[in-house]
Amino acid sequence: MQYQPKNFPVLKNDNLLRAARGDKVDRVPVWVMRQAGRYLPEFREVRAESDFFKVCRTPELAVEVTMQPIRRFDLDASIIFSDILVIPQALGMEVEMRPGHGPVFPEPLQDIKDVSRLNADGAIDRLKYVGDAITLMRHTLEGKVPLFGFTGAPWTLMGYMIEGGGSKTMSKARSWLKDHSEESRNLLSLLTDVIVDYLVMQVKAGAQILQVFESSAEYISKEEFIEFALPYLKEIRIKTQEKLNKQDIELVPMVVFAKGAMHSLAEMSDLGYDVIGLDWTVDPEEARKIVGPNVTLQGNLNPQDLYKSQEEIRELTRTMVRKFGKDRYIANLGHGITPQTPIESMTTFVDTVHSAFDD
Ligand SMILES: Cc1c2[nH]c(c1CCC(=O)O)Cc1[nH]c(c(CCC(=O)O)c1C)Cc1[nH]c(c(CCC(=O)O)c1C)Cc1[nH]c(c(C)c1CCC(=O)O)C2
């Protein structure tokens, strides 16, 4: 089947894009990281039938799970179902998603010589299925809400590629930064170039806003973050916009979410991203003071708070939203929603965001 990235339905609810650009909104927009996930029984049903990466690679299945939270909750954005680890796959690395364990690379990068195994030629062609899912999703959404594309950031991808999966410390990857700085920089640059082309491809396919996940920033020091993460995050923003401009494609807002890097909010506010995603460790008013008025903030309820009573969730959410204020703000959790979260808590969260300024 051919998916044509044109004649998309007109966007009806553009509150999230307006918030990202700093324009006035009718209501505070809200979406949730991992909003398509195992806390939804209909998601578990799809996953019972199909392997994780099969869902990613089959546009009809990816669109089905992307639509699931949109059907259930009054959300202001959708995010295409995929994973950050599709990039290492496209570079030739094998990645499995093991139930109850998470991602596993049977053959991680064990030595700097292994970097030569990576094959960036044709990587974007091998990721065409993500573009196809995005295009089909734009048609399926009928303009209800905007669609996010996303990518992992270079340091986070490098970490998984070296550790061979999740890690409590990322110590092997960190020792590359220390003992093989130059080779680490080469790897981070290689990833940056692929990421830029991947993001441009997603926008061409129909993504209306982009989020860059630097989820493993939490494992490195501020000094390492400034040396090995920030420059590449900046390059991604600049080069993606340059390439879109050159091809006469309208720019889309860009979000940077660096979990565990709240020590560097001032530095992040200089990267030129429209939106900074906050994890739950930072106070909304403190964050606003540090970044100034010209960037949108996104976040940041602790996902664990969704295990509290509905009354407590209402109170915490309302307080948070009122601290951020109505302008230049997108409500979200401070990280992904977790599998055991009661569905009712998600409804309470979303509806409380929308009513936070009603009186
Ligand atoms: C680090 C990272 C990964 N993937 C991602 C990140 C960055 C964000 C973050 O920090 O959470 C990003 C991601 N992964 C997924 C999305 C989909 C879109 C969304 O709804 O947000 C997004 C944006 C689906 C997924 N990706 C994964 C699931 C759950 C696995 C399953 O369905 O079997 C989902 C819904 C698996 C995954 N994928 C990854 C891990 C570590 C795991 C296992 C952890 C877990 O089991 O929750 C890598």
Side-chain angles (χ1 to χ4, degrees):
M1 188 177 159
Q2 275 294 91
Y3 303 102
Q4 295 296 338
K6 55 185 184 195
N7 301 325
F8 288 133
V10 174
L11 183 58
K12 294 170 199 137
N13 172 1
D14 66 347
N15 280 296
L16 186 127
L17 298 184
R18 279 193 267 154
R21 297 195 171 101
D23 298 334
K24 288 261 176 263
V25 293
D26 303 327
R27 65 180 194 186
V28 171
V30 54
W31 71 284
V32 165
M33 289 184 272
R34 293 272 172 96
Q35 63 190 25
R38 286 164 296 177
Y39 72 107
L40 292 175
E42 59 269 35
F43 178 87
R44 296 196 296 269
E45 242 171 71
V46 172
R47 286 282 286 108
E49 298 284 312
S50 304
D51 170 75
F52 180 84
F53 287 111
K54 182 184 168 195
V55 180
C56 297
R57 289 171 176 275
T58 312
E60 288 75 10
L61 291 176
V63 165
E64 164 55 25
V65 295
T66 305
M67 281 302 293
Q68 287 173 350
I70 302 302
R71 293 190 196 110
R72 253 189 207 266
F73 312 108
D74 190 12
L75 292 159
D76 296 283
S78 58
I79 178 162
I80 194 65
F81 188 81
S82 183
D83 201 84
I84 62 166
L85 301 179
V86 298
I87 288 186
Q89 281 179 335
L91 294 173
M93 297 186 81
E94 201 185 315
V95 188
E96 298 161 12
M97 198 60 77
R98 298 216 183 127
H101 187 88
V104 175
F105 292 63
E107 294 174 78
L109 304 178
Q110 286 180 311
D111 192 271
I112 48 170
K113 288 199 287 297
D114 291 341
V115 174
S116 64
R117 273 171 34 206
L118 302 175
N119 177 19
D121 282 349
I124 303 306
D125 297 333
R126 291 190 287 279
L127 289 164
K128 185 173 181 297
Y129 63 89
V130 178
D132 286 343
I134 286 173
T135 303
L136 181 61
M137 186 62 195
R138 277 293 301 277
H139 290 294
T140 308
L141 265 173
E142 298 178 322
K144 202 167 175 217
V145 291
L147 176 61
F148 268 91
F150 71 90
T151 181
W155 155 247
T156 296
L157 293 180
M158 170 180 165
Y160 280 93
M161 290 159 72
I162 292 171
E163 301 288 336
S167 157
K168 286 204 167 66
T169 57
M170 292 279 160
S171 58
K172 292 189 193 114
R174 288 186 69 185
S175 68
W176 276 48
L177 298 182
K178 191 163 153 286
D179 303 334
H180 310 291
S181 312
E182 174 148 359
E183 290 85 354
S184 294
R185 279 196 198 91
N186 291 339
L187 174 55
L188 292 164
S189 288
L190 180 152
L191 289 166
T192 298
D193 291 343
V194 175
I195 286 165
V196 166
D197 288 337
Y198 183 45
L199 291 176
V200 170
M201 182 272 272
Q202 293 186 56
V203 174
K204 284 188 185 170
Q208 290 156 294
I209 178 166
L210 299 169
Q211 178 154 322
V212 180
F213 286 92
E214 190 71 285
S215 305
S216 297
E218 62 185 330
Y219 300 105
I220 49 180
S221 66
K222 177 169 173 130
E223 289 69 31
E224 288 168 322
F225 181 74
I226 286 175
E227 191 173 349
F228 295 105
L230 267 189
Y232 303 96
L233 290 169
K234 183 167 186 178
E235 199 176 325
I236 288 167
R237 198 277 297 162
I238 291 173
K239 287 194 171 163
T240 302
Q241 292 185 337
E242 272 174 9
K243 288 207 173 187
L244 290 172
N245 277 332
K246 253 199 201 126
Q247 298 179 52
D248 258 327
I249 301 165
E250 211 180 312
L251 300 186
V252 301
M254 293 180 72
V255 185
V256 58
F257 173 62
K259 182 171 186 290
M262 301 301 103
H263 45 63
S264 296
L265 282 175
E267 290 81 355
M268 276 195 270
S269 69
D270 290 333
L271 297 180
Y273 282 79
D274 305 271
V275 184
I276 298 178
L278 304 177
D279 67 30
W280 67 85
T281 63
V282 62
D283 177 79
E285 287 163 345
E286 291 289 316
R288 176 55 73 197
K289 251 189 246 157
I290 296 167
V291 304
N294 297 326
V295 60
T296 296
L297 291 174
Q298 172 176 283
N300 71 343
L301 193 79
N302 188 333
Q304 299 304 320
D305 286 342
L306 295 186
Y307 292 93
K308 296 182 174 167
S309 73
Q310 302 307 302
E311 202 38 58
E312 284 172 289
I313 295 169
R314 256 190 294 277
E315 186 51 38
L316 288 164
T317 303
R318 202 177 120 92
T319 305
M320 171 186 82
V321 172
R322 291 176 79 109
K323 275 188 167 186
F324 276 109
K326 201 171 174 183
D327 296 323
R328 277 233 176 246
Y329 175 51
I330 297 167
N332 203 316
L333 304 179
H335 197 197
I337 189 168
T338 56
Q340 318 301 331
T341 304
I343 290 170
E344 188 192 9
S345 301
M346 175 78 168
T347 308
T348 300
F349 175 65
V350 170
D351 294 348
T352 306
V353 169
H354 287 149
S355 62
F357 291 105
D358 280 0
D359 47 46

